[in-house]
Structures are given as C-alpha cells and as structure tokens.
Amino acid sequence: MDITQQFFNILTRSGFQVEQMINRSIQNHLNKPAFVNFASQRANGMAKGMSSLQNTMEMLSVPFNFPTKNDLANTTNMVVQSEEKIDNLEYQMISLINAIQDLQTNILSANQTQRDNR
Amino acid sequence: MASEMDELFNNRLINVFKTVTSPAPEVGLTPRQAVWKKNKATLWYYPAQQKKYDTPLYFIYSLINQPFILDLGPGYSLIQFFNEKGYDIYLLDFGIPTYADKGLTMADYILRYIKKGVQRALVHSGASHISVIGFCMGGTFASIYAAIADEPIQNLVLAVAPIDFSHFPIFDEWQNSLRNGEIDFDAILDTVGVVPPDLMRIGLRVVASPVYVSPYLSLLRKGNDEEYALKWKRFNFWADSHIPFSGAALKQMIQTLGIENGLINETLLIDGEPVKLSNINANLLAVGSNVDRLVPKEQVQPVMDLVSSKDKTFYALKGGHATLASNREVQEFLNSWLSVRSNPIRLG
C-alpha cells in the first residue's frame, strides 16, 4: 500500500473517532434537562407567535378577499375526498369484473362437463 | 516523491470537489409503472425480469425520506436485485406531503394508503398472498398494518423498524420529560401543520450524527475510485432528500409510540381497533443492526417475542441504517429467506 493511501486510511479512521467523540459530547449537552425545557418553552413561544400571525392573516383575508393556506388545504382535501370515492368505486368495479369472469369460467366448465357426460 | 504525493493529493481533492458539487445523480432507473395513485401516493409496479415466484413483494418505505434508496442505481438497487431474482415488486411511495396533508394520521397512512395499496397489488398481480416488507418507520407501520390486516400476508419483513420505544439510549431525558408531561410539542406541530424537510433533516442528524464529516473523509480516501464516488453521490443525495412530515401523524406517534410505547403495551388503537402484535401469524423476518444509531437493535428485537408467527427469524445486520438497500450479502440473505416462502413457480 502506498504512503498516500496509508495517510488517507489513518485520516479517515482518526476523523471517524474524533467525529464520534464530538457527536457524543453534543448529544450529551442536548440531553440535559435544562436544554430540554428550554427547547420546549421556545417551541411553545414560537407556536403562540405563529398562531397569532396565522389568525391575523385569516382575519385579513375576509376584507382583502384573498385565499389563505387553510383555504387551499381545504380545497385540496375536497379533491382528495372525491378521488377516494372514485377509487372505492373503481375497486368495487374491478372486484365485480373478476367475480363475473370467475362465474363465466365456472359456467363454461359446467357446460363442458355436461357435454362430456352426454 | 514529494511532487508525486502533491499530485496524488491534489487529484483526490479535485475529484472530491467534483463529486460534491456535481449535479444531482440519476436515481430510480429500474423500469416501473404506476398501477394506483391517491393524493400524493403512488403504487409502483416493478415486473420481474423472469417471474419465478407467485407471491409478490410489497415495499413500504419510511415517511421521513424518499424511497429511491431502494433503487439507487444499477448494481446498487434492492429492487433491481429482487427483479432479477424473479420477484414482482410493488412499492408504495407516499409522495411528498404538503400543508394540505397536515391532518394525515397514522390511521390514514395505514388504512387509506398501506391497506388499499396491498388490496390493489393483490388485484393487479392476481396473487393469492403477498410479502410485506417495511423499512424503518415504514416497518413500524407494516407491523401495525399486519396486526389488523384482513389481507393474506404470507411473509412480513421488518427492516430496522422500531417497535419497542422504551429503549432510547441517546435522548432519554427528552423521552422522560415527554412521559412526565413536563414538555410537549403539540402546539408547535399544530401551528406548523407539516414539519419542514430541513427540520426533519436536522432532527435526524442530531440523533444519528450531529457532526457529519466521516462520509467526506471516506470519499477523500477513495478519491480516485470513480465507481465509489458515484455510489457516494447517489447515497448522499438520498441522505439529504428528506420530505415534510405530517404534524398530526408525528404528534400521534410521539404520544402513542414514544410515550405510551403502544405496540409493546398493546394500547395503540387504529381507527378504534386495538393493535396487538400477537395477531401476526405471517412468517416473520426482523432485521436489526448493532451499529445503527437511529434505530438500535434493542428497539427491533422485542417483536420476536410478541408475534404469534411459528416461522420467525432475527437477522443481525453488520452495518448501519441503510445497509440493507445496497449490501449484496444482506440482499442474498433476504432472498434466501424469501425464496422458500414465496410460492416458487414450477417451470416446465
């Protein structure tokens, strides 16, 4: 093995070990109760702020007559509901076609047996 | 000597730079056709090159990332491998959720997508049974589905699928605080609707590896190997291809799986129906890894004692979370396990 390759092998191995050490340290710090509570409080604070902005936009959408993200989501969900109904009908139709085909096969085979018996 | 080393070093650096900055690689090259679509989800059909088994494979991938890891490219594709071995494959791709999907719950994913997909795959293939193979969170959902399914599941493969959430080695303080009700993230999840992909990436990176330089060092080490560079690029492209996550589903998963450990304690309800893993009778193969930082083996293994399957196997993976998708040795093992349980077609 040439010297360059050896160098890169050692570099990769050492890099991996250092990375693991740093990762463990970061994870331990992020797992401290103080940080956990801070993250939760911050997330809840952000949620309050965002929720109040969203409510303001919903209110403004009435006089300014523009659709909000919720309006678009509701419309999309109506389309998905229709898609689901068509999907169910299609599946029932496939099941019926299969049942009819099975019936036809059974009738044909019964007729054949009758003819053979005669 | 010194100049040769400089040249070698420089070439490597140039190759690494080229690989990192090159455009997104082509992935998902195995021929396929869409057999069913709903909302953003698609059921893809990958026909066998020469069909040798009656029981098709039904792949369910995680909701966190995109399923093209299963078909990274020629020679690195689990789908291509199984197609060549003679299996028809169906892949349920949940698609990329948008804000409109913020209300999708676990029940929606399991009953409106996974179950319907299985029904469609059965009708399309004309098969009497099916093998369900779930990867990561897709495996968790596969086990929930299998516990309440009416469809004929012959084989169930759970690949690095977390089942027992009592084992939480890295962020146990977060789990304890959630369990004690000291913290909750319901408000922020309700407000954002769907968790943006960047946040998903950061979250998973923090759990698996907050500092992420070793893959780049490996690339530098094999800087002159073009094939390795292409594989690296494809894999790295996938590793960064996170997708948004429905807030409702995540909230429910934190509560029912993370806090209540619902699969182990049998407290999980899907559309009012209790989920009991003991209802699973299909042949089971569970795959866990000793070195998986995202889903440790201890989260996977308990499923072995909970199912009623008479034929059950646990396979200890030698590699990380995504090894299954591209490691030929593991793929060969999966094939040897499935081939005798998938109704081989008697040729001639």
Side-chain angles (χ1 to χ4, degrees):
Chain A
M1 194 186 292
D2 65 66
I3 194 159
T4 322
Q5 194 56 48
Q6 274 181 19
F7 167 74
F8 282 111
N9 286 348
I10 294 167
L11 180 71
T12 309
R13 244 193 332 266
S14 330
F16 181 70
Q17 281 166 0
V18 174
E19 183 189 271
Q20 280 206 318
M21 259 166 50
I22 298 172
N23 283 342
R24 261 197 299 272
S25 165
I26 293 173
Q27 285 169 338
N28 287 341
H29 277 87
L30 295 179
N31 196 35
K32 293 212 164 111
F35 181 79
V36 176
N37 288 327
F38 167 77
S40 170
Q41 280 165 13
R42 187 111 180 92
N44 286 331
M46 268 173 69
K48 265 188 197 151
M50 281 170 72
S51 178
S52 136
L53 275 172
Q54 285 173 357
N55 289 338
T56 311
M57 290 310 284
E58 287 288 338
M59 256 170 33
L60 285 174
S61 74
V62 178
F64 287 100
N65 205 22
F66 61 77
T68 64
K69 223 173 167 179
N70 282 330
D71 293 325
L72 292 175
N74 290 339
T75 314
T76 311
N77 283 331
M78 278 167 64
V79 175
V80 175
Q81 276 173 23
S82 310
E83 197 186 10
E84 210 147 37
K85 281 179 185 159
I86 295 168
D87 184 54
N88 286 337
L89 285 172
E90 193 189 39
Y91 184 70
Q92 281 175 16
M93 212 169 71
I94 294 169
S95 304
L96 278 173
I97 290 169
N98 286 346
I100 290 167
Q101 277 172 348
D102 285 348
L103 200 64
Q104 275 177 336
T105 318
N106 287 340
I107 290 169
L108 282 173
S109 114
N111 285 347
Q112 186 63 42
T113 319
Q114 261 183 357
R115 269 198 298 272
D116 290 348
N117 288 341
R118 269 186 225 142
Chain B
M1 178 77 178
S3 66
E4 273 176 20
M5 269 189 69
D6 279 354
E7 202 182 313
L8 272 169
F9 203 95
N10 289 337
N11 279 347
R12 271 171 207 262
L13 285 176
I14 290 166
N15 287 344
V16 168
F17 181 74
K18 269 188 196 161
T19 306
V20 173
T21 55
S22 61
E26 269 192 301
V27 287
L29 299 172
T30 308
R32 63 181 184 178
Q33 64 188 79
V35 293
W36 176 68
K37 283 187 180 206
K38 182 154 75 174
N39 194 2
K40 278 97 183 170
T42 308
L43 181 66
W44 294 105
Y45 169 56
Y46 298 82
Q49 286 181 5
Q50 191 193 352
K51 192 170 165 178
K52 292 180 186 162
Y53 303 97
D54 263 338
T55 308
L57 309 181
Y58 181 83
F59 287 172
I60 305 168
Y61 199 68
S62 173
L63 303 170
I64 290 160
N65 223 320
Q66 296 189 58
F68 66 75
I69 180 71
L70 303 175
D71 190 20
L72 269 187
Y76 302 105
S77 164
L78 185 69
I79 288 173
Q80 182 199 22
F81 172 81
F82 276 118
N83 272 169
E84 283 172 2
K85 293 287 179 189
Y87 298 87
D88 276 342
I89 298 171
Y90 294 87
L91 164 69
L92 180 62
D93 179 351
F94 291 108
I96 299 175
T98 62
Y99 187 74
D101 304 306
K102 62 180 179 172
L104 283 180
T105 60
M106 284 167 71
D108 290 326
Y109 279 113
I110 287 154
L111 300 175
R112 287 168 60 201
Y113 291 91
I114 294 176
K115 188 182 174 78
K116 295 275 178 188
V118 169
Q119 288 174 347
R120 286 307 180 114
L122 281 166
V123 165
H124 183 264
S125 62
S128 58
H129 290 81
I130 197 160
S131 295
V132 175
I133 304 178
F135 301 87
C136 185
M137 198 48 78
T140 312
F141 280 20
S143 67
I144 297 171
Y145 161 65
I148 55 172
D150 303 317
E151 292 70 29
I153 302 173
Q154 187 168 1
N155 305 304
L156 176 66
V157 180
L158 305 176
V160 287
I163 300 291
D164 183 357
F165 289 82
S166 66
H167 182 82
F168 224 75
I170 301 173
F171 288 106
D172 57 327
E173 203 56 58
W174 286 77
Q175 199 187 28
N176 291 339
S177 300
L178 279 165
R179 281 201 180 131
N180 301 336
E182 290 160 16
I183 58 168
D184 86 85
F185 294 94
D186 288 4
I188 190 74
L189 289 173
D190 285 338
T191 312
V192 294
V194 288
V195 184
D198 284 340
L199 213 58
M200 291 303 297
R201 177 166 46 240
I202 293 167
L204 290 165
R205 211 30 80 73
V206 166
V207 175
S209 182
V211 175
Y212 186 69
V213 289
S214 52
Y216 292 90
L217 291 174
S218 297
L219 181 64
L220 192 62
R221 184 167 63 94
K222 294 189 176 179
N224 297 324
D225 183 343
E226 275 182 35
E227 202 187 321
Y228 179 83
L230 181 61
K231 187 187 169 190
W232 186 95
K233 180 74 187 174
R234 283 180 169 144
F235 187 82
N236 206 50
F237 175 52
W238 168 79
D240 279 338
S241 299
H242 289 88
I243 54 174
F245 203 104
S246 149
L250 187 56
K251 228 168 77 176
Q252 203 184 2
M253 283 164 70
I254 291 173
Q255 181 62 37
T256 59
L257 300 177
I259 298 176
E260 295 167 10
N261 202 11
L263 277 172
I264 300 293
N265 299 328
E266 299 192 332
T267 51
L268 178 64
L269 299 174
I270 290 295
D271 217 15
E273 193 175 345
V275 177
K276 293 183 191 302
L277 292 177
S278 55
N279 288 341
I280 297 176
N281 293 299
N283 306 321
L284 174 76
L285 171 64
V287 180
S289 161
N290 286 324
V291 291
D292 190 345
R293 282 171 285 187
L294 218 49
V295 182
K297 194 178 76 179
E298 291 76 8
Q299 288 188 355
V300 185
Q301 216 160 11
V303 73
M304 301 301 292
D305 301 325
L306 297 170
V307 295
S308 302
S309 315
K310 287 193 180 87
D311 177 352
K312 48 188 176 181
T313 310
F314 182 82
Y315 180 78
L317 193 66
K318 291 182 201 103
H321 194 66
T323 309
L324 201 78
S326 59
N327 184 299
R328 193 40 65 97
E329 193 189 320
V330 185
Q331 293 175 356
E332 289 290 355
F333 173 79
L334 273 182
N335 177 47
S336 67
W337 190 87
L338 279 165
S339 61
V340 290
R341 296 169 176 86
S342 298
N343 300 335
I345 298 169
R346 289 178 203 283
L347 298 169

